[in-house]
Amino acid sequence: MTDLSVANTTRRPTFDVEAIRQDFPILSQQVNGKPLVYLDNAASAQKPEAVLDAMDRYYREMHSNVHRGAHTLGDRATVAFEGSRETVRGFLNADSTREIIWTRGTTEAINLVANGLAPRLKAGDEILVSHMEHHANIVPWQMIAERTGAKVVPIQVTPEGELDLESFTSLLNGKTRVLAITHVSNVLGTVNPVAALIEQAKALGIITLVDGAQAVPHYQPDVRALGCDFYVFSSHKLFGPTGIGVLYGKAQLLEEMPPYQGGGEMIERVSFERTTWNTLPYKFEAGTPAIAEAVGLGAAIDYLQGLDRQAMETAESALLERANQLVETVPGMEIIGTAKRKVPVMSFKIAGLHPSDIGTLLDQQGIAIRTGHHCAMPLMDFYGVPGTARASFAFYNTLDEVEALFTALRKVQRLFA
């Protein structure tokens, strides 16, 4: 069966993707003699020129350490650095920049919260996560559970890859102290109903953390509307630089939590008798921060805010819709995760083929995907697979690239058949 036997019923949205692609220099290159088709966005998204320019300008025109500088470059750097914090605050609709903590990424943000909540936990307490979590939202809680005697309890998922809401409700009890849940699954693309989950948890006084790493590239979250206590994400998945991420936390909880690291910046006064902590957000930002990266993240958010977000979502939905239509053109291809509400992430297997072989052969055709367990081994165990191949789309991908992916997959399947 060829792709011509599947009618393209997808309506092309009014979204000038070709113009947008010009903003991303890396997309114009060739790989292995073929035009690059970059479909590994869930691992790390590409960066627009606006981000590259902002970071270059920082290093060329204002590089200096931030805060307390008594010179012009220090002032410029501080204004840019704190300006990005305000940009993030607005992006999340947080109450104050006091609630925006710079971290190295989602992983460090979750570790910070887990360690900060450890004094609240005791033997017998329960930390509720889901079966679809990234390891970054499992392992830190396991480490804290070992220290405190608490227990990590997984919420089940359905075969379709949706959160089992009956399982969730049945697990809520008087011992539950923390709910740490992903907004969007990095493997399945499933969008979880986090607002409803948080509402149930808050009724029992449970502290809530949302892993938004896979959500923010596709949706703009509103932390006040969600009602969560903590929301975390990484810059590099949001079209910004690597090495920086964000922890949003309600000010009252952050005030009550102990510092995560000690050193410069996070202190108010140091003596050998006693050290006191700086105010929020600096209490959790020990040492020289990732200044250029913060500037780059601010530029990435500004770039996204300049686009029509609704049109972006429509364009991404069209990519996933067309990909789903073309699955039947590849004999033996099976999608892992068929939730009703998904972002454009497609994890799959092809009968008789190892995911790493699929990835290698696609790369020879210029197509970049991700293979393996995707830092979600419990989910792989649930589906009884060692790993999957994963194509993840962004708003700068095109319907022609979807066609190219499936043309290449048919070549791979025929080769092994």
Side-chain angles (χ1 to χ4, degrees), residues 41-272:
N41 296 286
S44 197
Q46 299 302 343
K47 322 305 172 194
E49 198 110 46
V51 170
L52 306 178
D53 289 346
M55 296 179 70
D56 181 70
R57 187 165 56 252
Y58 164 78
Y59 278 120
R60 290 181 183 276
E61 299 177 8
M62 65 186 79
H63 172 64
S64 175
N65 216 324
V66 293
H67 308 135
R68 301 182 307 281
H71 52 80
T72 299
L73 293 187
D75 289 342
R76 289 177 184 170
T78 299
V79 168
F81 179 72
E82 293 299 339
S84 289
R85 198 191 304 270
E86 169 58 27
T87 297
V88 172
R89 184 212 63 76
F91 178 70
L92 295 177
N93 193 31
D95 281 325
S96 167
T97 53
R98 298 173 65 242
E99 299 179 321
I100 304 300
I101 312 296
W102 298 122
T103 66
R104 289 181 298 164
T106 301
T107 299
E108 185 177 55
I110 295 172
N111 274 275
L112 189 162
V113 174
N115 279 272
L117 294 180
R120 294 171 173 259
L121 300 174
K122 63 183 185 304
D125 287 346
E126 294 181 355
I127 302 163
L128 205 55
V129 300
S130 83
H131 222 93
M132 66 175 71
E133 298 304 318
H134 189 284
H135 295 163
N137 203 26
I138 299 175
V139 178
W141 299 111
Q142 290 176 329
M143 295 169 69
I144 294 303
E146 288 181 6
R147 279 171 44 190
T148 63
K151 180 181 179 182
V152 176
V153 180
I155 307 163
Q156 298 304 306
V157 298
T158 68
E160 294 77 23
E162 296 178 328
L163 206 64
D164 187 330
L165 298 181
E166 290 185 5
S167 171
F168 169 71
T169 301
S170 68
L171 292 172
L172 289 176
N173 62 72
K175 297 179 181 179
T176 311
R177 296 290 176 265
V178 178
L179 168 66
I181 191 79
T182 186
H183 200 161
V184 170
S185 167
N186 72 308
V187 176
L188 308 170
T190 303
V191 181
N192 284 322
V194 291
L197 304 181
I198 292 166
E199 184 177 9
Q200 282 186 258
K202 297 307 286 183
L204 298 176
I206 297 167
I207 294 174
T208 57
L209 176 143
V210 178
D211 175 357
Q214 297 293 333
V216 292
H218 307 288
Y219 307 113
Q220 182 170 343
D222 184 330
V223 294
R224 282 193 274 188
L226 289 176
C228 56
D229 294 306
F230 302 100
Y231 196 98
V232 299
F233 69 89
S234 297
S235 163
H236 70 101
K237 299 182 192 297
L238 190 62
F239 314 98
T242 57
I244 191 167
V246 170
L247 162 62
Y248 156 79
K250 288 184 177 177
Q252 180 180 346
L253 282 170
L254 292 173
E255 292 280 13
E256 295 170 358
M257 286 165 49
Y260 180 51
Q261 294 179 316
E265 185 70 14
M266 52 75 64
I267 53 85
E268 177 188 49
R269 189 176 188 282
V270 176
S271 71
F272 284 109

